[in-house]
Amino acid sequence: MDFDLTDEQRLLKDSVEKMLADAYDFEARKRIVASGQGFSPEIWASFAELGLLGLPFAEEHGGFGAGPVETMIVMEAFGGALVVEPYLATVILGGGLVRHAGSPAQQSAILPAVAAGERRLAFAHAERQARYDLFDVETAARRDGDGWTINGRKGLVLGGDTADTLVVSARTAGASRDRHGIGLFVVDADAPGVARRGYPTQDGARAAEITLENVRVEAGAVLGDPAGALPVIERVVEEAIAALCAEAVGAMESALASTVEYLKTRQQFGTPIGAFQALQHRAADMLVALEQARSMALFATMMAGAADPRERRAAISGAKVQVGRSARFIGQQAIQLHGGVGMTMEFRIGHVFKRLTMIDTLFGDADHHLALAAEAGGLINA
Amino acid sequence: MDFDLTDEQRLLKDSVEKMLADAYDFEARKRIVASGQGFSPEIWASFAELGLLGLPFAEEHGGFGAGPVETMIVMEAFGGALVVEPYLATVILGGGLVRHAGSPAQQSAILPAVAAGERRLAFAHAERQARYDLFDVETAARRDGDGWTINGRKGLVLGGDTADTLVVSARTAGASRDRHGIGLFVVDADAPGVARRGYPTQDGARAAEITLENVRVEAGAVLGDPAGALPVIERVVEEAIAALCAEAVGAMESALASTVEYLKTRQQFGTPIGAFQALQHRAADMLVALEQARSMALFATMMAGAADPRERRAAISGAKVQVGRSARFIGQQAIQLHGGVGMTMEFRIGHVFKRLTMIDTLFGDADHHLALAAEAGGLINA
Amino acid sequence: MDLRLTDEELAFRDEVRAFFRQALPAGIRGRLEAGHHPTRDDIVTWQRILNAEGWAVPHWPVEWGGTGWSPVKQYIFMEEMQMAPAPQPLQFGVSMVGPVIYTFGSEAQKRRFLPRIANIDDWWCQGFSEPGAGSDLASLKTRAERQGDVYVVNGQKTWTTLAQHADWIFCLVRTDPAAKKQMGISFLLIDMKTPGITVRPIQTIDGGCEVNEVFFDDVRVPAENLVGEENKGWDYAKFLLGNERVGIARVGVSKERIRRIKQLAAIEQAGGRPLIEDRRFREKLAAVEIELKALEITQMRVVAAEGKRAPGKPDPASSVLKIKGSELQQATTELLMDVIGPYALPYDPHEEGANEEPILEDWAATIAPSYFNNRKVSIYGGSNEIQKNIIAKAVLGL
Amino acid sequence: MDLRLTDEELAFRDEVRAFFRQALPAGIRGRLEAGHHPTRDDIVTWQRILNAEGWAVPHWPVEWGGTGWSPVKQYIFMEEMQMAPAPQPLQFGVSMVGPVIYTFGSEAQKRRFLPRIANIDDWWCQGFSEPGAGSDLASLKTRAERQGDVYVVNGQKTWTTLAQHADWIFCLVRTDPAAKKQMGISFLLIDMKTPGITVRPIQTIDGGCEVNEVFFDDVRVPAENLVGEENKGWDYAKFLLGNERVGIARVGVSKERIRRIKQLAAIEQAGGRPLIEDRRFREKLAAVEIELKALEITQMRVVAAEGKRAPGKPDPASSVLKIKGSELQQATTELLMDVIGPYALPYDPHEEGANEEPILEDWAATIAPSYFNNRKVSIYGGSNEIQKNIIAKAVLGL
C-alpha cells in the first residue's frame, strides 16, 4: 500500500499543472470556447509536446507506455483547469479502442499521428434510444464485397465535429440490444455519406450528431472481431470512467477552493460570510464529499485494469456513483454559497458546476451505476 | 377548504390534553411502563369516562359516532404524551374490525363493553414471514361442524397480552399469499388452545406472540365473509395508519419542543448552544419536516374514508412515507442535539425517539409505502 | 375541518380552468409546456387578456381592480394559472410596487400608476440588491440627494430581473447617509428613460439574460416620485417583501412539471422500455410527489389562516414554503435531468430563425438550462439560509 | 502509487487472520456476531490471549510491549480484529492512558502501570466529561487540592464508559482555580477503590448500562499519581484525544456488519422471497457499501501518511474519518432495521438464565437496541458538529 507518486509522476503532474497555469486561465478558456472549435490548436500542440497525447501508447507508437495513474494525474489537472479540449475523445476513447482492439498495422497507422497531435479521434457509439446501455446499438454494418457499408445515426459524439477519424460501432449481427454482434469500424470523418452536425455542449466543449448513410469502408477498417467488440468497448468505457472520475476530482477541488475563497472575502452583515457556522459546516460537508470522491477515483484508477470482471465493474460503477453524488452535492452547494454571482457566466464557478453536472451524465449517471454496482454484488465482500 | 376545528372538536382536544397533562407526565408514564401491564387501569377508566373508548362507535353502542378528525385529535394528544395504553389496538383495530365487518348482533355484544372500558381487544394478524404484506396469512381455519378450528402463529399483536378478546385472521381458502380466502374470527383470549407470550416493546408498550392450537370457535365468531375479509382488513389498517400518523405528529411536536428548550438552556463555551447557527438551522429543518408531516397526517385523515381505492391507497401510503421520513429525521436530530442526555433512559427525549422509530415499522415502513404509492401512480394527477 | 374545496370553490376552479383553457393563446401555452421562459410579449399579451376579464390584480383593493376573492379563491386562481401553464403576471408590478403604492402612495401616484400596472402599460423592475448588499439588504449604498424639486441618484443596483424591458424601476435609495442602516432609506419610483441610467445585462449559466446591472449617474428624479415619507423606505420594503412570499412555494409550477415528467418518461426509453416503467425512477418520482402534496397542504393551511392576519404581516411559516418550495422546484428539474439522461449534453439555444436544424426536441433542449437556472430559487428572495435564520428566530425563538 | 497491499502485507494479514480464527473463543465470536456487546470477561479473556501472543499493544514502544509494526500493518491488524469479530481492546487503557503514561509519566508510573494495562490486570476508565463540560471540555470543575502528599478531589464526572468494572480512572481535574480554562488542569490517576468514590450507572435508551456518573467526595489521591507536571494536564489530554481518533472510523466494524446484513437479508422474507433479491434493498445496501469502500480508502490514505507526522499530532483529515465513520456505523444499523422490518418491535433483552423462551432469534433481538445505541457515535469523542468546526477552521481556514 503506497499513495506516493514516483519522481516521474510528480514531474508529469508539475509540468501539466504549470502549462495550464500559464496558458489556461479562465480568460483563455473563454476564448477557446468562443472560438466554436472546441479546442485551441496551440494548446493541443502543447499537449503533444508534453507527451500527453501519446501518454498511454506504446513507445513504438510515439507514446510513453504510461499507466492509469499517469492518466489520472493529467485528468485531475484538466478538471481543475476546466480543459475543454477533446483529450478524452482522442486519447482515452479513440486511442484506447485502437490500442486495445487494433492490429499492429492499424495501431501504427493511427496512433503515432495522434501522439504527434496531427490527428484527432472520436468514438461514435451512443444512439438516442440506448440511454446508458453500451450494448444497445442499431446502426448496422452490412458486408459489402470485401468491405462493409454502414447505415445509422450516432449521437453525443464527443469531439465529433472536428475529429479527423471516427471509430464507429455498428451491428453486424443480432438484434438491437444483443450483447453479441457489435463491431468497430475506423471511418474517415470526411468519407462520403458521413454527415456531421456539430454543436456546443452545456459545459463549453463540442460534440456532434452523426448520420451515416451508405458509408463504405474497406475490410481493413474493422478493429478486431467484427461481431465481438462489446468487451473492448466496455473496457475502454471503464477506462474513460476512471479518467472522468479523476477529472471530476480536479473540478471539485477547484469548486471547493473557490467557495472557501469566496466565504473568506464576501462581506455581509459586517463580516465575512465564512464566519457563519452554517456555511462553515456546509464547506466541511463539501470537503468530506470531496475526500470520499478522491478515494473512489483512486480506486477506479487502480481497478480499471483488474482481472476479475465482476470486481472491476463493481469498482468502476461504485466510483461513478460516489463521484456523481459528490459532484452533485459540491456543485450545487458551490453555487448556493456563491449566491447570485454563482449564477452568472462571468464567474468561473458556474462553469465548474456545469462540467460536474455533465460528467455525471457521461457513460451512466449515479443511479445507473448504482444499479450496476448492486447487480455486481456490491463492494464489500461478504 | 377549512382547517378550523368545530367547537365540539376543540372541546375534545382540550379535555384530552388536560387529562393527560394532569395524569400522564413522564413520571406517571414510567410507572405505567414499569408495571409490566402495558396500561394503567385508572387511565383506561379516564379514557372511558371522556368517551374516547367509544369515540368512533355508533351511539347505540355507547359511542359518539365521531369521525377521523376526532381520532386524529386524540391520537395527536396521545403522541405528545407518549401514551402506551392499547388504544390503537382496542378502539381503532379491534373496534374498527367489529364496526366495519361485524353483524349488528356482534357489534352489540362487543362494542358497548369496549366503550365502557370493560373489554380490551387486539388484532392478531401479522405473521413472521409476512413482513408488511397484509394478505400473507398462513394461519388456517378449518370448518369443523358448525364452527371452525384455528391453527397457527400470530405475532406482534399490539396489546395482545392483556386483551380480553382477539380478532384473529385466518385462511379459509387459497394459498398463503392469495388475496382471497382470508377470514376474521372473534376468539376469547382465554379460549383453550390459545397460548400467549406477552412482552414489552421497544417503545414501552406491550405486545404478544400468540399460538393457536386447535382453537375451536362457533359459527357466530366469524366477522363478515369468512373468505373475503382482506378489504376490511385493509380499510381498518388504513385507518390505523392515519391514526399513527397523527400520533407521530404529536410525538414530533414534543421532540421539537424539547429540543428547542434544550438548545435554549444548555450552556457550552459560555453561551446557550442555541446561539450556534448550525444548530439553529438543524432545528429549522426539524420544523420544516414536522410541518410537512402534519400536512400529510391531515391528508391521511381526510382520505382514510375516500371512495376511490387507488386515491385512498396513494394518500395513506404517501402519508406514511412522509411521516416515516420526518419522524426518522426529527427523532435522530433530537437525540443528536440533546447530546449525551438524549441517550439516557432518564431523559424523556429518548423515549420519544424510540416511539417514532417504532411507528415507522408499524404497518409498513417508509420504503414499503413508497413502493405502494409509486404503484398507485403517485399523488399528483398528471 | 375539511381539506376538500367547497362546492362553491370547486365551481370557481372549474370556471377559472375553463377560461384559461379557452383564453390562453396556444403559442404561449406551447412554449411554456416545452419549458421555455415566457417572452416579454407573452407576459404582456396574457396580462391584458386577464385585465379585460377583470382578473388582472385579484388581490388588490376592489376600487383599484381587485376581485374581492377569498384567500382560498386567490390561491386556486394562482394554482390554475401555474398549471395551465400560463405566464405568471409580472410580480414587480402587480405584487410588489402595486401594493406599496396603494398602501403608502399618494392619491396622484395611485391614479397615475395603478391602472397602468394592471394593464402592464408600464413594465416595472425592482432596484433593491446591490453588489455589496445581498442578504444584508440594509447595507445598500445608492445615494439620492434632494436638490430642490428633484432627487439626484447615484449608485448601482444589481440582479435586476428583466430590467432590459423595463419602463420603470422602484428603488431603495439612501437619503440620509448619517442615519444608521435601516434608517435613512427611501422608496423612489424612477422612469427608466431618465438620462444617466445604464442597463448592463448579466448572462446566467443557463445561457439566458434575465438579470441586469443598473447604473445611476446623476439621475434626476422628480420629488413627487417619492413614495410615502422620506427615510421610511425600509418599512415599505419590509411590507413588500412580506407580500412577495405569497405564492413563493410555486406549487402549481412544480405540479405542472410533474405532469411533464410523467408524459416524457412515458416516451423516453431506459433498458429497452419506457423510463416510467422503471421502478427506481417511479419511486424517486413518487417521493417528490409526496413532498409536493405535503407542501400543497402546508400552503393551503397558510392560505386558510391568511384572512386572520394583519395585511403585510406574513406568516412566519411562509419561510417553510420558501424552503420546501424551492427544494421541490429544484427536485423536479433534477427529475427532468433523469428523464433526458445523456441527452442533457447538447447546448441548443434554438434561436428562432436559425439556419440549422435543432439537435433535440424542443422540450429536451430546455432541460439542462432549466436545471441550471433553477439553482437560483434557493438563493433569491431571501436565500434558504436566511429563511432558516428566520424560522430559528421568529418561530422557534432561538 | 498502489492501493493494493504488498506481498509482505498480504502475508501479514493472512497470519493475523489465521491466528484470530484459531485463537478467538467461539462463544465470544458468536455473541459478537449476533450483535451483542462483549462482556467484561470477553474483553479480559481476549486481551490476555493477545498479550500471550505479544500482540496486546502493537502501537506502543517496543520496550513496553509494542510490535514495531508499520502503520499499515497496525491498520491491517485492527481491521482484521474488527472483522473477526473480536472484542476491541479496552481503549481507555491501551489507547488512552497507556500512551500518556509512556510519553509523559514517571519511570515509576511506567513500570507500575504499563504491563498491567497490556494484560488488562487493571481495568481503566476515563474521567474527562462533566455535566457542564461536554463539547466544551475545558470548562470542567472537578477540583483537586494539594494537601501535603495527597490531592483531595471533589466533583463529578459523567459518561464514564464501563466505570462499573473499573479498577482505575484517569481524570482531568482543576488544580489552579484562579487560572483560565485550559490552564490549571492536571492529569491524575485515581484508584477506584479509594474511599469517597461513588459510581452511579446511567441506563441508555437501548436498555444497556455502559456509562456512569462518578462522584468524588474528599477523595485522597497520592501526589505520586500526578502525571507529568501540575497544571499541564490539558496538553496531555490533547495528546490523548489525538490518539483517540486512530481507528475512529471503525471501518472493520461496519464491514463486519455489512457481512451480517447480507447473510440475514438472504434469510428474511419480503414479498415472498428473500429480501436480498429486492432491488431497492440491494441498491440501498450497495450505496452504503460504496461509501464504506471510499471511507476505507480515505482511512488508508491517512494511515499511509501517518509515518510522516509527529506523534500526537493527528491529521486534521481524521475529522473526516470520524464524521463519515459514524454516519456509516449508523447507516449499517439502519440497514439492519430494514432487514428485520416489523420484528424490530419486541424488547427482548434476553438475560441468561431467564425462564421464558426468547421471542426472537438472538441476532434479531439486538437489532433495534443496536440502532438506538449507535446514535451515540455521532455524539461522543467530539460530536460531528465539533468535527465540522475543526474541518472549517483547521483544514479550510475559515
Side-chain angles (χ1 to χ4, degrees):
Chain A
M1 199 172 89
D2 168 21
F3 290 89
D4 294 330
L5 299 182
T6 63
D7 288 346
E8 290 77 11
Q9 289 168 342
R10 184 149 294 283
L11 190 66
L12 173 68
K13 184 171 156 68
D14 291 346
S15 53
V16 175
E17 284 175 357
K18 180 170 183 329
M19 188 263 288
L20 294 171
D22 290 346
Y24 217 93
D25 67 7
F26 184 45
E27 292 305 313
R29 178 183 185 272
K30 261 191 201 161
R31 285 190 297 273
I32 297 170
V33 171
S35 77
Q37 285 209 66
F39 69 100
S40 145
E42 294 75 32
I43 295 291
W44 200 253
S46 308
F47 288 178
E49 215 170 294
L50 278 175
L52 307 186
L53 298 180
L55 201 61
F57 304 162
E59 287 183 33
E60 57 186 294
H61 300 133
F64 285 82
V69 174
E70 283 74 12
T71 297
M72 180 185 80
I73 289 168
V74 171
M75 290 301 290
E76 192 172 326
F78 282 4
L82 290 182
V83 165
V84 297
E85 273 68 12
Y87 185 84
L88 189 85
T90 295
V91 179
I92 311 294
L93 291 168
L97 292 166
V98 173
R99 193 158 66 88
H100 292 310
S103 64
Q106 288 169 325
Q107 293 180 357
S108 302
I110 298 173
L111 298 180
V114 170
E118 290 153 11
R119 203 199 272 216
R120 278 182 308 282
L121 310 180
F123 181 30
H125 176 62
E127 300 181 8
R128 181 75 173 87
Q129 81 289 343
R131 202 171 166 92
Y132 298 122
D133 293 332
L134 294 175
F135 50 81
D136 190 336
V137 172
E138 293 185 353
T139 295
R142 210 180 55 241
R143 281 258 180 219
D144 181 1
D146 263 5
W148 302 79
T149 300
I150 307 175
N151 277 286
R153 298 171 65 89
K154 293 291 182 178
L156 305 175
V157 183
L158 301 176
D161 60 339
T162 55
D164 305 293
T165 303
L166 306 175
V167 181
V168 177
S169 62
R171 190 161 282 291
T172 58
S176 66
R177 291 176 55 81
D178 285 355
R179 292 184 59 84
H180 180 77
I182 300 171
L184 289 168
F185 301 86
V186 177
V187 177
D188 193 290
D190 297 325
V194 174
R196 295 190 278 177
R197 162 76 161 94
Y199 51 81
T201 59
Q202 297 287 350
D203 49 6
R206 302 276 306 175
E209 302 294 290
I210 299 181
T211 310
L212 301 112
E213 204 179 334
N214 294 323
V215 176
R216 155 116 201 135
V217 295
E218 298 305 314
V222 180
L223 285 180
D225 179 350
L230 187 61
V232 75
I233 292 173
E234 288 177 339
R235 176 170 179 186
V236 167
V237 166
E238 283 168 359
E239 290 172 356
I241 289 174
L244 281 169
C245 287
E247 185 190 345
V249 167
M252 285 187 259
E253 248 177 1
S254 145
L256 178 58
S258 168
T259 303
V260 168
E261 182 59 26
Y262 190 77
L263 291 176
K264 284 178 184 169
T265 50
R266 169 72 171 169
Q267 304 267 329
Q268 292 276 274
F269 305 104
T271 174
I273 60 175
F276 292 106
Q277 194 192 29
L279 308 192
Q280 290 177 351
H281 281 203
R282 201 82 57 82
D285 290 336
M286 291 168 75
L287 178 87
V288 173
L290 167 61
E291 292 306 322
Q292 290 286 87
R294 188 195 306 281
S295 289
M296 287 308 272
L298 281 168
F299 189 51
T301 299
M302 296 301 155
M303 296 294 286
D308 178 351
R310 191 209 66 79
E311 262 187 57
R312 199 178 65 224
R313 206 169 315 124
I316 294 289
S317 285
K320 195 69 168 45
V321 171
Q322 181 68 57
V323 165
R325 292 186 168 188
S326 289
R328 180 172 298 209
F329 178 76
I330 289 174
Q332 292 181 348
Q333 293 307 322
I335 299 296
Q336 183 72 20
L337 296 186
H338 278 81
V341 300
M343 290 295 301
T344 68
M345 288 288 242
E346 293 164 43
F347 220 83
R348 190 171 182 279
I349 191 68
H351 301 267
V352 183
F353 167 57
K354 291 200 281 185
R355 178 60 187 152
L356 287 173
T357 304
M358 289 305 132
I359 287 177
D360 184 37
T361 73
L362 289 174
F363 303 113
D365 60 15
D367 281 351
H368 175 77
H369 281 287
L370 181 59
L372 294 186
E375 268 171 44
L379 277 83
I380 306 294
N381 295 327
Chain B
M1 199 172 92
D2 168 23
F3 290 88
D4 294 331
L5 300 181
T6 63
D7 289 347
E8 290 78 10
Q9 288 168 343
R10 184 149 294 285
L11 190 66
L12 173 67
K13 183 171 157 67
D14 291 347
S15 53
V16 175
E17 285 176 357
K18 181 171 181 330
M19 187 264 287
L20 294 172
D22 289 347
Y24 217 93
D25 66 7
F26 185 45
E27 291 306 314
R29 178 182 185 273
K30 259 191 204 162
R31 285 190 297 272
I32 298 170
V33 171
S35 76
Q37 287 209 65
F39 70 101
S40 145
E42 294 75 33
I43 295 291
W44 199 252
S46 309
F47 288 178
E49 215 170 292
L50 278 175
L52 307 186
L53 298 180
L55 202 60
F57 304 163
E59 288 183 31
E60 57 186 298
H61 298 133
F64 285 81
V69 173
E70 283 75 10
T71 296
M72 179 185 80
I73 289 168
V74 171
M75 291 301 290
E76 192 172 326
F78 283 3
L82 289 182
V83 165
V84 297
E85 273 68 13
Y87 186 83
L88 188 86
T90 295
V91 179
I92 311 294
L93 291 169
L97 292 166
V98 173
R99 194 158 64 87
H100 292 311
S103 66
Q106 289 169 324
Q107 293 180 356
S108 303
I110 298 173
L111 298 181
V114 170
E118 291 153 9
R119 203 199 272 216
R120 278 182 309 282
L121 311 180
F123 181 29
H125 177 63
E127 300 181 7
R128 182 75 173 90
Q129 81 290 344
R131 201 171 165 91
Y132 297 122
D133 293 332
L134 294 175
F135 50 81
D136 189 337
V137 172
E138 293 185 353
T139 295
R142 210 179 57 241
R143 281 260 181 217
D144 181 1
D146 263 5
W148 303 80
T149 300
I150 308 174
N151 278 286
R153 299 172 64 90
K154 293 293 182 178
L156 305 175
V157 184
L158 301 176
D161 61 339
T162 56
D164 305 293
T165 303
L166 306 175
V167 181
V168 177
S169 62
R171 188 161 285 288
T172 59
S176 65
R177 291 175 55 82
D178 285 356
R179 293 184 58 84
H180 180 77
I182 300 171
L184 289 169
F185 301 86
V186 177
V187 178
D188 193 288
D190 297 325
V194 174
R196 295 190 277 178
R197 163 77 160 94
Y199 51 82
T201 59
Q202 296 287 350
D203 48 6
R206 301 275 307 173
E209 302 294 290
I210 299 181
T211 311
L212 301 111
E213 203 180 334
N214 293 323
V215 176
R216 153 115 201 137
V217 296
E218 299 305 314
V222 180
L223 285 180
D225 179 350
L230 187 61
V232 76
I233 293 172
E234 288 178 339
R235 177 171 176 183
V236 168
V237 167
E238 282 168 359
E239 290 172 354
I241 289 174
L244 281 170
C245 287
E247 185 190 345
V249 167
M252 285 187 258
E253 249 177 1
S254 145
L256 179 56
S258 168
T259 303
V260 169
E261 183 59 28
Y262 190 78
L263 291 176
K264 285 177 184 170
T265 48
R266 169 72 171 170
Q267 305 266 329
Q268 292 277 275
F269 304 104
T271 173
I273 60 174
F276 292 106
Q277 193 192 31
L279 307 192
Q280 291 178 351
H281 281 202
R282 201 83 56 81
D285 290 337
M286 291 168 75
L287 178 87
V288 173
L290 167 60
E291 293 306 322
Q292 289 287 85
R294 188 195 306 281
S295 288
M296 288 308 272
L298 280 167
F299 189 52
T301 300
M302 297 300 154
M303 296 294 286
D308 178 351
R310 191 209 65 79
E311 263 187 55
R312 199 178 65 226
R313 206 169 316 125
I316 295 289
S317 285
K320 194 71 169 42
V321 171
Q322 180 70 59
V323 165
R325 292 187 169 187
S326 290
R328 180 172 298 208
F329 178 75
I330 289 174
Q332 292 180 347
Q333 293 308 320
I335 300 296
Q336 183 72 19
L337 296 186
H338 277 81
V341 299
M343 290 295 302
T344 69
M345 287 289 242
E346 293 165 43
F347 220 83
R348 190 172 181 280
I349 192 67
H351 301 266
V352 183
F353 167 58
K354 291 200 281 185
R355 178 61 187 152
L356 287 172
T357 304
M358 288 305 132
I359 287 177
D360 184 38
T361 73
L362 289 173
F363 304 113
D365 61 14
D367 280 351
H368 176 76
H369 282 287
L370 181 59
L372 294 186
E375 267 171 45
L379 277 83
I380 306 295
N381 294 326
Chain C
M1 180 179 286
D2 199 335
L3 265 76
R4 286 165 301 194
L5 300 181
T6 62
D7 286 347
E8 194 209 334
E9 289 162 350
L10 280 174
F12 174 77
R13 188 194 64 185
D14 292 344
E15 179 195 348
V16 168
R17 192 175 285 181
F19 174 74
F20 288 170
R21 194 168 298 140
Q22 161 258 310
L24 178 63
I28 299 180
R29 186 197 304 272
R31 265 191 295 283
L32 266 63
E33 278 179 343
H36 291 284
H37 298 286
T39 65
R40 182 192 200 284
D41 283 352
D42 290 345
I43 292 170
V44 170
T45 301
W46 178 237
Q47 183 70 18
R48 290 184 182 161
I49 290 170
L50 290 175
N51 202 25
E53 186 70 14
W55 288 357
V57 284
H59 54 294
W60 285 17
V62 174
E63 63 167 314
W64 295 112
T67 54
W69 290 336
S70 69
V72 175
K73 283 188 178 170
Q74 290 183 37
Y75 160 77
I76 292 169
F77 180 76
M78 182 188 68
E79 273 258 307
E80 289 296 323
M81 185 132 66
Q82 291 173 346
M83 289 193 298
Q88 293 277 95
L90 187 72
Q91 300 301 311
F92 311 108
V94 300
S95 298
M96 295 185 180
V97 75
V100 167
I101 289 173
Y102 67 64
T103 309
F104 304 105
S106 66
E107 272 308 301
Q109 287 170 340
K110 292 180 197 176
R111 277 195 303 273
R112 178 178 177 190
F113 291 115
L114 293 179
R116 296 181 58 81
I117 291 172
N119 201 48
I120 204 163
D121 295 328
D122 294 329
W123 185 287
W124 282 86
C125 65
Q126 178 191 38
F128 278 18
S129 294
E130 299 185 3
S135 295
D136 183 14
L137 183 57
S139 67
L140 60 88
K141 291 200 169 63
T142 296
R143 280 288 319 273
E145 209 177 328
R146 181 76 181 246
Q147 294 181 2
D149 277 355
V150 299
Y151 288 97
V152 179
V153 179
N154 280 287
Q156 183 197 342
K157 296 292 177 181
T158 192
W159 312 127
T160 315
T161 302
L162 300 179
Q164 69 267 39
H165 306 314
D167 304 301
W168 284 83
I169 185 169
F170 55 94
C171 283
L172 290 181
V173 293
R174 193 162 291 284
T175 37
D176 181 355
K180 275 198 255 169
K181 276 199 116 171
Q182 285 83 350
M183 307 294 138
I185 290 175
S186 296
F187 195 106
L188 215 52
L189 311 178
I190 306 179
D191 187 332
M192 289 291 281
K193 288 183 295 297
T194 321
I197 296 182
T198 314
V199 176
R200 194 185 77 85
I202 301 174
Q203 196 183 22
T204 47
I205 52 175
D206 56 320
C209 281
E210 293 178 325
V211 288
N212 301 270
E213 292 178 300
V214 182
F215 298 89
F216 298 86
D217 184 16
D218 282 336
V219 175
R220 298 171 69 83
V221 180
E224 68 194 41
N225 288 1
L226 175 76
V227 174
E229 292 177 49
E230 200 175 83
N231 298 333
K232 287 279 171 67
W234 187 253
D235 294 340
Y236 314 146
K238 275 200 305 188
F239 166 87
L240 177 154
L241 293 172
N243 290 330
E244 194 189 0
R245 306 231 197 290
V246 175
I248 197 72
R250 294 168 67 89
V251 171
V253 170
S254 292
K255 282 169 83 170
E256 205 278 322
R257 211 176 275 141
I258 295 277
R259 194 164 61 193
R260 266 176 72 205
I261 290 164
K262 288 185 177 180
Q263 280 170 357
L264 300 176
I267 301 169
E268 285 292 304
Q269 299 289 302
R273 49 183 195 162
L275 177 63
I276 195 73
E277 293 176 16
D278 179 85
R279 179 172 153 188
R280 181 178 355 92
F281 178 78
R282 270 167 55 205
E283 293 189 2
K284 226 172 144 177
L285 174 61
V288 173
E289 289 185 61
I290 290 165
E291 286 272 9
L292 185 58
K293 173 55 78 178
L295 183 66
E296 183 179 22
I297 297 167
T298 306
Q299 171 157 301
M300 286 160 70
R301 286 162 50 207
V302 173
V303 167
E306 191 88 351
K308 295 159 196 160
R309 260 193 315 279
K313 288 268 173 206
D315 192 336
S318 61
S319 290
V320 175
L321 300 182
K322 170 63 165 64
I323 292 169
K324 210 69 205 179
S326 57
E327 287 176 359
L328 288 170
Q329 287 175 72
Q330 294 174 337
T332 50
T333 61
E334 293 189 41
L335 285 170
L336 277 171
M337 288 289 279
D338 286 343
V339 170
I340 194 64
Y343 264 90
L345 189 69
Y347 176 66
D348 189 13
H350 205 65
E351 276 146 32
E352 308 223 349
N355 280 334
E356 289 190 298
E357 277 284 287
I359 300 149
L360 291 174
E361 302 89 338
D362 196 22
W363 59 262
T366 60
I367 286 178
S370 170
Y371 168 64
F372 298 144
N373 183 275
N374 269 274
R375 300 313 308 170
K376 75 184 176 195
V377 301
S378 50
I379 297 172
Y380 70 17
S383 71
N384 284 12
E385 289 77 16
I386 294 287
Q387 303 299 335
K388 288 182 190 177
N389 287 348
I390 292 172
I391 291 176
K393 293 192 166 59
V395 185
L396 301 176
L398 288 169
Chain D
M1 181 178 287
D2 200 335
L3 265 76
R4 285 165 302 192
L5 300 180
T6 62
D7 286 346
E8 193 209 334
E9 289 161 351
L10 279 175
F12 175 76
R13 187 193 65 185
D14 292 345
E15 179 194 348
V16 167
R17 191 176 285 181
F19 174 74
F20 288 170
R21 193 168 299 141
Q22 161 259 311
L24 179 64
I28 298 179
R29 185 197 305 270
R31 266 191 295 284
L32 266 61
E33 277 178 342
H36 291 285
H37 298 286
T39 64
R40 181 191 200 285
D41 283 352
D42 290 345
I43 293 170
V44 171
T45 302
W46 178 237
Q47 183 70 20
R48 289 182 184 163
I49 291 170
L50 290 176
N51 202 25
E53 186 71 14
W55 288 356
V57 285
H59 53 295
W60 285 16
V62 173
E63 63 168 313
W64 294 110
T67 53
W69 291 335
S70 70
V72 174
K73 283 188 177 170
Q74 289 183 37
Y75 160 78
I76 292 169
F77 181 74
M78 180 189 68
E79 273 258 306
E80 290 296 323
M81 185 133 65
Q82 290 173 346
M83 289 193 298
Q88 293 277 97
L90 187 72
Q91 300 302 311
F92 311 108
V94 300
S95 298
M96 295 184 181
V97 76
V100 167
I101 290 174
Y102 66 65
T103 310
F104 304 106
S106 66
E107 271 308 303
Q109 287 170 340
K110 293 180 198 175
R111 277 195 304 272
R112 176 174 177 194
F113 291 114
L114 292 178
R116 296 182 59 82
I117 291 173
N119 201 48
I120 203 163
D121 295 327
D122 296 328
W123 185 286
W124 281 87
C125 65
Q126 177 191 38
F128 279 17
S129 294
E130 299 185 6
S135 294
D136 183 13
L137 183 58
S139 66
L140 61 89
K141 292 199 170 61
T142 295
R143 280 290 318 274
E145 211 177 328
R146 181 77 183 246
Q147 293 180 2
D149 276 356
V150 298
Y151 287 98
V152 180
V153 179
N154 280 285
Q156 183 197 339
K157 296 291 176 181
T158 192
W159 312 127
T160 316
T161 302
L162 300 178
Q164 69 267 39
H165 306 314
D167 303 302
W168 284 83
I169 184 169
F170 55 93
C171 283
L172 290 181
V173 293
R174 194 161 292 284
T175 36
D176 181 357
K180 278 199 255 171
K181 276 199 117 169
Q182 284 83 350
M183 306 295 139
I185 290 174
S186 296
F187 196 107
L188 215 52
L189 311 178
I190 305 178
D191 187 331
M192 289 291 282
K193 289 182 294 296
T194 320
I197 296 181
T198 315
V199 175
R200 195 185 76 84
I202 301 174
Q203 197 183 21
T204 46
I205 52 175
D206 56 319
C209 283
E210 292 178 325
V211 287
N212 302 270
E213 294 176 298
V214 182
F215 298 88
F216 297 86
D217 184 16
D218 282 335
V219 175
R220 298 171 69 85
V221 180
E224 68 193 40
N225 288 0
L226 175 75
V227 174
E229 292 177 50
E230 198 176 83
N231 298 331
K232 287 278 171 68
W234 187 252
D235 293 340
Y236 314 147
K238 274 200 306 186
F239 167 88
L240 178 154
L241 293 171
N243 290 331
E244 195 189 358
R245 306 229 196 291
V246 176
I248 197 72
R250 293 168 67 88
V251 170
V253 171
S254 292
K255 282 168 82 170
E256 204 279 322
R257 211 177 274 140
I258 294 276
R259 192 164 63 191
R260 266 177 72 205
I261 291 164
K262 288 186 176 178
Q263 280 171 357
L264 300 174
I267 300 169
E268 285 292 304
Q269 298 289 303
R273 48 182 196 162
L275 177 63
I276 195 74
E277 293 176 16
D278 179 85
R279 178 172 154 188
R280 180 177 359 90
F281 178 79
R282 269 167 56 205
E283 292 189 2
K284 226 172 142 176
L285 174 61
V288 173
E289 289 184 61
I290 290 164
E291 286 272 9
L292 185 58
K293 174 54 77 177
L295 183 66
E296 184 179 21
I297 296 166
T298 305
Q299 171 157 300
M300 284 159 71
R301 286 162 48 207
V302 173
V303 167
E306 191 89 353
K308 295 161 194 158
R309 262 192 314 279
K313 288 268 172 207
D315 192 336
S318 62
S319 289
V320 174
L321 300 182
K322 171 63 166 63
I323 292 170
K324 210 69 205 179
S326 57
E327 286 176 0
L328 288 170
Q329 286 175 73
Q330 294 175 337
T332 49
T333 62
E334 294 189 41
L335 285 171
L336 277 171
M337 288 290 279
D338 287 343
V339 170
I340 192 65
Y343 264 90
L345 189 69
Y347 176 66
D348 189 13
H350 204 68
E351 277 145 30
E352 307 223 349
N355 281 333
E356 290 189 299
E357 276 285 285
I359 301 148
L360 291 173
E361 302 88 337
D362 195 23
W363 59 262
T366 59
I367 286 178
S370 169
Y371 168 63
F372 298 144
N373 183 275
N374 269 275
R375 299 315 306 169
K376 76 185 176 195
V377 300
S378 51
I379 296 172
Y380 69 17
S383 71
N384 283 12
E385 289 78 14
I386 295 286
Q387 302 300 335
K388 289 182 190 177
N389 287 348
I390 293 172
I391 291 176
K393 293 191 168 56
V395 185
L396 301 176
L398 289 170

